[in-house]
């Protein structure tokens, strides 16, 4: 076999049309062997003798795409000093762009003998290990262009590749649960119907299925257990062809972009699947443990864990930072993704101990000409000290707003003293983001996400029901801020079902009409339930998959109607915070850009915000007070709106003030389903507002618009409450 010196850059296996360059970083290694595997498992070892700046490299002119490979790294095995080299362990390239196979759990993939953590195990792990695959980088993008949807116009749909598509009857069975299924026209049509402009995919970086879950008959469904940051998950490919997952992923992105839908990846750079000191040796642990992981200063056998998963990536090391940044650039430049949601992003800010918003990672992202130009979304917390950092990320970042979720849930379940914070969350959370120059779009608003109850379960359960996870109900959040509407779980009580249906509409209307960027969790618009399981991480079955054959069609239509309202009216998606300044009207009056109203139609006074009994509030939105320009430089002017919220249990009368001039108001949304009964509303009218409901009124104009008819038609379908519960997954044998 011909072996040429090759190049230290780029890292990984890079096919150039003729041969392949291999490059691996390891500062502590004494020797590195590249291991090539034939179709029958024969292993050929090639010594990498050329080393530049701790990068071991070679060019093999005969190696083509499809070649499987791994590494064996020689060096000191001294866990007390953080060194865990062992050439008997085949190691996955951290830069592998495709991976074949899964880990076959057993003694060989661990660096110690079971029951003796301080021992050394020299069993060869090659037969049990996944392998890297050399990929063909060439792909016909057919003129693909990133949609570049502005944040203010974005609606994000969080989804799981398999869970969203595994049960869809209109998707060919052979591609369900794959990248090709996400690109299928029925999925794209649904996304467009509900107004989604971006799909945020739960982890698709190659991850490992935990041995502890497999022993229970479960599996790692969510995928927050990454092992290769540049490789798309191989189980989401529709064929077993080696390296096909790369081409299929690109085809999915191309199809979504053609429909104007962005692709955002949920990425896990805070830890890896190798776990703590008792974890397996699969990749970075055996390549350069000290460089890639944060170790305890007092005893380097142990790993610093800010994530609850056993280890934390050492973002203070330049080579670890390079791996993360190279991964991000690869997914943007080569895979054409539009942004990233960073799991437990506070961990990336820990250069030393405290969370530091100006840590090296954020400085590098700020100046990077590629990564800085895509959507960057932080999950702004981890489990370490000071880890809750909502509102504290750098200005170019947006954040999952956990305070929005908690406040909106509390308001609709009837918690006292929530009016002030509820108003703040509705208007973009200026208290969190305005101080450093950020805008309302810094807030990624959500009520539910993959972690926790679905929307259906949020209004159907007071307690989690996680027995199927095999952890005696000890897993998952216990304080869910949920309300079951009077009955725990499934019921045939029509009053309870009607209230649950209305509560789901309340949450969706609140979410889609709040300032900031709304994020829907997949299936919430369909009435999806997990039977009260609020931690479906291990349920790769019908508990977590979307049941497309039993969806809540009226809820879909409602979601689509409110999303169209948001799309058509920029007053609900402002790029700047409200300022309360008076704005001249055509009639010569001066109205503020926003006004908060009591049920009697008068403006809220300071004492009203702190009243523990307050359950209802109205807001006037002035369409002439947006103070923004569109892309062509034209002043943005919209219609005026009243949005009324009644979080109480009883119907109350809400007096409608004039809003300026002799105007009438049309009710375009009522989550209690009474749009057709209300007609036009004059100022000064007392409007009955059903308990637990939202009403939206728009200033009436003679000329009809398309949204008037589509919204009315969609809301007219709100008649039959339904209850959909899939068969629960069997409890595993323990």
């Amino acid at each position: 076999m011909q072996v040429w010196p090759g190049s230290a850059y780029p890292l990984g296996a890079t096919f150039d049309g003729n041969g392949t360059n291999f490059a691996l970083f390891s500062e502590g290694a004494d020797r590195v062997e590249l291991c090539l595997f034939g179709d029958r498992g024969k292993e050929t070892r090639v010594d990498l003798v050329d080393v530049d700046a701790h990068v071991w490299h070679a060019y093999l002119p005969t190696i083509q795409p499809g070649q499987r490979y791994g590494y064996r790294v020689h060096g000191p095995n001294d866990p007390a000093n953080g060194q865990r080299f062992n050439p008997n362990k085949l190691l996955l390239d951290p830069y592998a762009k495709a991976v074949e196979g899964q880990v076959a759990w057993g003694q060989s993939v661990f660096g110690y003998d079971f029951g003796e953590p301080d021992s050394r195990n020299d069993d060869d792990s090659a037969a049990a290990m996944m392998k890297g695959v050399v990929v063909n980088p060439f792909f016909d993008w057919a003129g693909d262009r990133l949609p570049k949807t502005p944040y203010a116009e974005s609606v994000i749909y969080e989804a799981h590749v398999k869970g969203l598509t595994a049960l869809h009857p209109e998707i060919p069975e052979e591609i369900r649960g794959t990248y090709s299924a996400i690109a299928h026209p029925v999925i794209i049509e649904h996304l467009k119907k509900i107004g989604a402009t971006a799909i945020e995919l739960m982890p698709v970086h190659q991850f490992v299925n935990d041995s502890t879950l497999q022993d229970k008959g479960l599996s790692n469904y969510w995928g927050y257990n990454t092992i290769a940051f540049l490789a798309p998950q191989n189980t989401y490919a529709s064929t077993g062809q080696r390296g096909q997952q790369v081409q299929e992923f690109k085809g999915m992105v191309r199809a979504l972009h053609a429909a104007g839908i962005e692709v955002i990846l949920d990425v896990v750079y805070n830890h890896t699947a190798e776990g703590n000191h008792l974890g397996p040796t699969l990749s970075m642990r055996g390549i350069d443990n000290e460089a890639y992981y944060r170790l305890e200063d007092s005893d380097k056998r142990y790993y610093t864990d800010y994530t609850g998963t056993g280890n934390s990536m050492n973002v203070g090391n330049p080579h670890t930072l390079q791996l993360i940044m190279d991964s991000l650039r690869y997914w943007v430049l080569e895979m054409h993704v539009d942004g990233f949601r960073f799991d437990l992003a506070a961990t990336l800010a820990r250069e030393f101990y405290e969370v530091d918003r100006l840590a090296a990672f954020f400085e590098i992202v700020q100046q990077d000409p590629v990564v800085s130009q895509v959507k960057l979304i932080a999950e702004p917390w981890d489990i370490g000290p000071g880890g809750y950092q909502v509102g504290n990320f750098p200005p170019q970042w947006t954040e999952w707003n956990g305070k929005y979720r908690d406040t909106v849930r509390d308001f609709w379940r009837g918690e006292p003293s929530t009016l002030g914070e509820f108003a703040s969350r509705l208007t973009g959370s200026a208290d969190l983001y305005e101080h450093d120059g950020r805008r309302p779009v810094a807030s990624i608003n959500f009520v539910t996400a993959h972690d926790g109850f679905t929307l259906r379960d949020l209004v159907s359960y007071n307690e989690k029901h996680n027995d199927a996870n095999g952890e005696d109900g000890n897993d998952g959040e216990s304080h869910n801020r949920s309300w079951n509407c009077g009955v725990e779980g499934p019921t045939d009580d029509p009053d309870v079902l009607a209230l649950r249906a209305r509560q789901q509409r309340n949450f969706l209307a609140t979410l889609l009409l709040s300032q900031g960027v709304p994020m829907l969790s997949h299936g919430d618009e369909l009435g999806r339930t997990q039977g009260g399981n609020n931690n479906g991480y291990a349920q790769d079955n019908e508990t977590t998959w979307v049941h497309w054959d039993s969806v809540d069609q009226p809820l879909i239509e409602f979601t689509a109607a409110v999303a169209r309202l948001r799309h058509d009216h920029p007053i609900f998606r402002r790029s700047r915070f409200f300022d309360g300044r008076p704005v001249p009207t055509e009639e010569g009056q001066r109205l503020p850009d926003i006004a908060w109203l009591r049920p009697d139609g008068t403006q809220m006074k300071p004492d009203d915000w702190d009243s523990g009994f307050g359950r209802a509030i109205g807001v006037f939105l002035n369409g002439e007070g947006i103070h923004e320009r569109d892309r062509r430089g034209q002043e943005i002017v919209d219609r005026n709106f009243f949005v009324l919220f009644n979080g109480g249990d009883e119907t109350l009368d809400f007096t409608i003030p004039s809003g300026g001039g002799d105007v009438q108001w049309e009710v375009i949304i009522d989550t209690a389903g009474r749009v057709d009964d209300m007609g036009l509303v004059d100022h000064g009218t007392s409007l009955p507002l059903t308990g637990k409901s939202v009403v939206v009124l728009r200033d009436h104009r003679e000329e009809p618009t398309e949204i008037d008819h589509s919204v009315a038609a969609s809301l007219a379908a709100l008649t039959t409450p339904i209850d959909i519960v899939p068969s629960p997954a069997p409890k595993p044998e323990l």
Side-chain angles (χ1 to χ4, degrees), residues 135-298:
V135 303
N136 184 347
F138 306 110
F139 181 77
D140 181 8
W141 282 103
D144 177 69
R145 298 179 64 185
L146 275 61
K148 293 188 177 295
T149 306
Y151 269 121
E153 299 173 15
S154 296
V155 176
I156 298 173
Y157 190 78
E158 187 197 31
H160 188 282
V161 171
K162 185 175 184 181
L164 182 63
T165 64
L167 297 178
H168 202 301
E170 296 182 49
I171 296 176
E173 188 172 354
E174 62 272 17
I175 68 168
R176 293 176 191 171
T178 71
Y179 304 119
S180 293
I182 293 290
H184 193 277
V186 295
I187 297 297
I188 291 177
E189 288 168 10
H190 179 73
L191 293 175
K192 293 182 73 66
K193 177 182 179 69
I194 62 171
T197 66
I199 186 168
E200 180 179 302
L201 295 176
M202 290 175 65
V204 297
H205 289 176
Q206 185 71 42
F207 59 84
V208 172
N209 196 6
D210 315 49
S211 62
T212 54
L213 292 178
Q214 286 191 2
D215 291 343
K216 297 177 182 180
L218 301 171
S219 63
N220 191 315
Y221 169 66
W222 283 354
Y224 292 93
N225 206 25
T226 305
I227 196 61
F229 295 139
L230 283 78
Q233 174 69 10
N234 54 22
T235 60
Y236 297 156
S238 60
T239 74
Q241 185 178 347
R242 203 171 290 163
Q244 176 63 25
Q245 60 265 43
V246 177
Q247 301 293 313
E248 191 169 331
F249 184 93
K250 291 179 178 179
M252 175 195 71
V253 173
R254 182 177 60 191
L256 289 165
H257 282 179
I261 298 171
E262 294 184 309
V263 179
I264 298 172
L265 300 187
D266 191 340
V267 291
V268 187
Y269 294 116
N270 53 74
H271 74 280
T272 77
E274 291 186 291
N276 62 17
H277 64 288
L278 299 178
T281 299
L282 307 176
S283 181
M284 300 175 215
R285 170 172 285 151
I287 293 171
D288 201 318
N289 189 54
E290 288 184 284
Y292 283 116
Y293 295 115
R294 297 193 64 155
L295 307 177
E296 291 292 310
D297 292 333
S298 58

Side-chain angles (χ1 to χ4, degrees), residues 659-677:
D662 219 8
V663 67
Q664 288 183 305
W665 299 89
E666 53 186 338
V667 177
I668 58 172
I669 290 178
D670 181 355
T671 59
R674 302 172 303 155
V675 174
D676 294 337
D677 300 333

Side-chain angles (χ1 to χ4, degrees), residues 63 70 90 197 384 403 426 463 507 532 568 598 636 650 676 683 726:
I63 298 301
L90 184 75
T197 66
K403 291 187 176 181
L426 283 175
E463 308 295 335
F507 280 118
D568 289 355
R598 298 174 6 151
I636 297 175
E650 304 298 329
D676 294 337
H683 67 274

Side-chain angles (χ1 to χ4, degrees), residues 521-544:
S521 180
H522 85 206
D524 276 355
E525 79 287 2
L526 307 170
R528 184 175 79 90
T529 176
Q530 292 181 172
N533 191 324
N534 74 347
N535 190 29
Y537 78 105
Q539 298 296 326
D540 188 5
N541 51 53
E542 294 194 13
T543 297
T544 53

Side-chain angles (χ1 to χ4, degrees), residues 147-157 194-200 260-264 338 375 377 398 441 443-445 511-520 563 566-567 572-575 631:
K148 293 188 177 295
T149 306
Y151 269 121
E153 299 173 15
S154 296
V155 176
I156 298 173
Y157 190 78
I194 62 171
T197 66
I199 186 168
E200 180 179 302
I261 298 171
E262 294 184 309
V263 179
I264 298 172
D338 304 272
K375 287 183 169 66
I377 304 170
T398 63
V441 294
S443 178
I444 305 297
N445 299 328
L511 176 65
L512 289 167
L513 300 181
S514 294
Q515 305 299 323
V517 181
M519 185 189 79
L520 294 164
R566 177 186 180 87
H567 174 272
F572 295 112
R573 44 182 176 82
R574 292 166 51 109
S575 296
R631 299 178 191 179

Side-chain angles (χ1 to χ4, degrees), residues 672-686:
R674 302 172 303 155
V675 174
D676 294 337
D677 300 333
M678 292 190 174
L680 295 179
V681 179
D682 294 317
H683 67 274
T685 297
S686 184

